[in-house]
Amino acid sequence: MNIADKNQELIIELEQIAEVAGFLWQRNWAEANGGNISVNLTEKYRTETFTGFESVFTINISEDISSIDGNIFFVTGAGKRMRDIARSPLNNGLLIRVSNEKQQVEIIDGKALTPTSELPSHLIIQNFLKRNGINNGVVLHTHPTELIAFSHCDIFLDSSHLTHTLWSMIPEARVLVPKGIGIVPYALTGTDILAQATLKELEKHDVLIWEKHGVLSVGKDIMECFDIIDVLSKAAQIYLFSRSLGCEPKGLSKEQLKELAAAFKLPDTT
Ligand code: 13P
Ligand code: ZN
């Protein structure tokens, strides 16, 4: 059955997911099946449309995720391309319900797909968001070329240095990313180790770089999650273009950053 037919709010949410998936592809951040998305749809899903689970999928994570027990999510399918998700999110993603006790996700609508290989990170982060009062959490993971390039240079593997470098490239970076950028040391894709290290960084930041892999942002709105990565990617490009012009970019001064923080009532960490 087509679940979306009976869930107007769900349709709107799926349209937004599709739009952002298209942006990721257009930005050249989503080669092949690069990137994945999860969105907590518990408040948007009308349970009267439920007709039974298609199947179950076992999860293997060390963290307790009881805050999202029984919650319903859209997750992209393993191996699915963003450009296909943009055309048809429900044919390239799944609606799932989490069962913490059974350590499994129950597939509501899956078209025989498997959830993203990064499901451990998505579920642990979604649990963290819910615990912190965000009912409609979004986790967006993508592969922005410019930002991954920074993570190959030792000097930028320092969160404070990377944050200040990118903040100083354009005022919007300071304003839209007030908590700065976290760095997660390289860990094998799809593992609980990567998920745990990510969770630690999310105590301090809403966006972080997975070293030599990609970027992950969290929030309550998928467009905002996209904007955060977009502005950081722009800042990274400005830095790289200035370098290719043969100069070390001057960047906004400490005073200019302080002035911005005061004007936008941001935490003054300059
Ligand atoms: P999936 O296709 O399993 O979502 O993997 C893509 C990816 O980017 C892994 O980090
Ligand atoms: Zn990835």
Side-chain angles (χ1 to χ4, degrees):
M1 94 153 177
N2 188 351
I3 285 172
D5 283 349
K6 293 186 181 158
N7 285 266
Q8 272 313 310
E9 282 193 298
L10 202 66
I11 291 175
I12 294 166
E13 203 62 43
L14 290 168
E15 281 172 359
Q16 292 228 330
I17 291 167
E19 199 174 354
V20 167
F23 294 162
L24 302 181
W25 165 245
Q26 287 158 19
R27 281 281 187 277
N28 198 21
W29 301 346
E31 77 294 339
N33 64 309
N36 28 72
I37 300 171
S38 67
V39 181
N40 191 331
L41 296 174
T42 312
E43 290 183 347
K44 309 269 166 81
Y45 178 77
R46 283 177 37 195
T47 44
E48 63 266 31
T49 60
F50 176 69
T51 54
F53 297 116
E54 290 176 5
S55 56
V56 295
F57 182 80
T58 305
I59 46 178
N60 187 17
I61 47 182
S62 50
E63 189 85 4
D64 171 84
I65 52 168
S66 51
S67 294
I68 54 165
D69 191 41
N71 281 196
I72 290 163
F73 294 87
F74 171 85
V75 293
T76 48
K80 291 295 158 186
R81 301 179 182 92
M82 283 298 156
R83 60 184 190 267
D84 293 333
I85 294 162
R87 274 191 295 104
S88 181
L90 266 189
N91 282 320
N92 294 279
L94 308 89
L95 282 182
I96 60 168
R97 193 181 81 154
V98 172
S99 170
N100 180 46
E101 195 195 327
K102 294 188 198 149
Q103 280 269 312
Q104 65 187 27
V105 295
E106 295 153 329
I107 314 285
I108 299 170
D109 187 358
K111 314 277 186 309
L113 302 179
T114 306
T116 170
S117 59
E118 302 290 4
L119 193 66
S121 285
H122 282 265
L123 293 182
I124 286 177
I125 298 166
Q126 289 286 0
N127 186 68
F128 167 84
L129 294 174
K130 187 74 188 287
R131 212 173 54 223
N132 285 287
I134 298 176
N135 290 342
N136 43 342
V138 176
V139 179
L140 175 61
H141 164 57
T142 185
H143 297 172
T145 318
E146 322 68 12
L147 291 166
I148 296 169
F150 274 71
S151 81
H152 282 270
C153 304
D154 278 345
I155 187 174
F156 291 117
L157 290 177
D158 176 87
S159 162
S160 171
H161 181 63
L162 177 66
T163 296
H164 281 83
T165 302
L166 296 182
W167 272 356
S168 77
M169 288 299 107
I170 183 168
E172 277 71 13
R174 178 68 182 95
V175 176
L176 290 188
V177 193
K179 294 199 222 160
I181 310 149
I183 311 266
V184 177
Y186 181 81
L188 185 63
T189 179
T191 58
D192 193 40
I193 298 170
L194 180 62
Q196 292 294 342
T198 302
L199 188 63
K200 204 166 128 234
E201 284 302 304
L202 287 175
E203 302 279 349
K204 292 173 281 179
H205 310 280
D206 294 330
V207 57
L208 42 88
I209 294 191
W210 282 349
E211 183 187 350
K212 296 182 243 172
H213 177 164
V215 173
L216 184 141
S217 68
V218 303
K220 52 184 168 20
D221 179 309
I222 192 163
M223 287 295 169
E224 283 174 19
C225 288
F226 172 78
D227 286 343
I228 290 171
I229 303 176
D230 200 23
V231 77
L232 290 177
S233 151
K234 163 83 67 144
Q237 286 183 49
I238 295 167
Y239 180 88
L240 296 168
F241 278 131
S242 294
R243 291 298 305 259
S244 69
L245 288 171
C247 79
E248 178 67 27
K250 237 198 259 178
L252 296 165
S253 67
K254 278 196 167 185
E255 291 66 36
Q256 289 165 338
L257 287 169
K258 266 184 188 299
E259 183 186 40
L260 264 177
F264 287 87
K265 300 188 174 39
L266 308 167
D268 185 4
T269 50
T270 57

